Amino acid sequence: MSLTQTLDTRSARDGSARPEAARPSTSRRRRPRAIPAAVLGLGFPTFLVVLWWAAARAGLLPEQILPAPQAILETFLGLVGDGTLATHLKISTERVLIGFGIGAVGGLAFGAAAGLSPTFRAFFYPPVQAVARVNVLAWMPLLTLFMGIDEPLKYVVIAWSAAIPVILGTARGIEAVSPAFRELGQALQFDTRDTLRLIVLPGAVPSIFAGLREGLANAWQTLVLAELFASFEGLGYLMTWGRQLFQLDLVIVAMIVVAIAGLAMDLLLRAVERRAQPWKKGTADVH
């Protein structure tokens, strides 16, 4: 009898000798249901809103400092009813999508070149790292001299702020691909296209999407500041208008809409990331 057959016989004998009572019962040892992440994420904001409402109702927060939640809700419904909020949200969203699209495409191309070509990386990557240390808003006065305060300025600063993390994430992701995988591709006689498609890209996808998500967050932050600086439309302008009129409820409504819109886009990008990594879903199902 072979060694494998001997081990199989002993395993079967041990399994049959085990009493039924000693075997774990799946029905008795059910795991407690985990609380959904969405519920946990809403817990703390809900607590803050309840605390805010209670403090305003007790008169602890003057309306000149922080309006009550009821006033915020009334302002929100009024802006939705007359179409003002939809107009400004549409303009801001278009600016973010255009600026982020330009920055993402340029950042992916530049980051891929830096990650794949050591010569390109040696020449051009250090200046990008230096520019990344300076906030794009510091360049706005200089850019305004050449571009004015019209739409091209907003697209440029949004694209700039979005491109930096995309470049860094893409270059780092490609560089971090294990040399062992590249050697495996050479052993399998992969050409350049197959190496990029089957080895480099799957290994760099997590870092690439991390850069894209950070770039999208930067795009929204830069949009609001750009509209505060030079705009007569958009959510950032709505904040400026409310501050000038001392209508803090208008400012808070615009802030909440910016946060919700940014979160919605981030969730959409997360969904795209999951679709781009089907192997992660399979691994999660196994575990």
Side-chain angles (χ1 to χ4, degrees), residues 103-116 120 166-167 170:
V105 172
L108 288 171
F110 192 99
L116 295 172
F120 186 93
V166 176
I167 292 173
T170 304

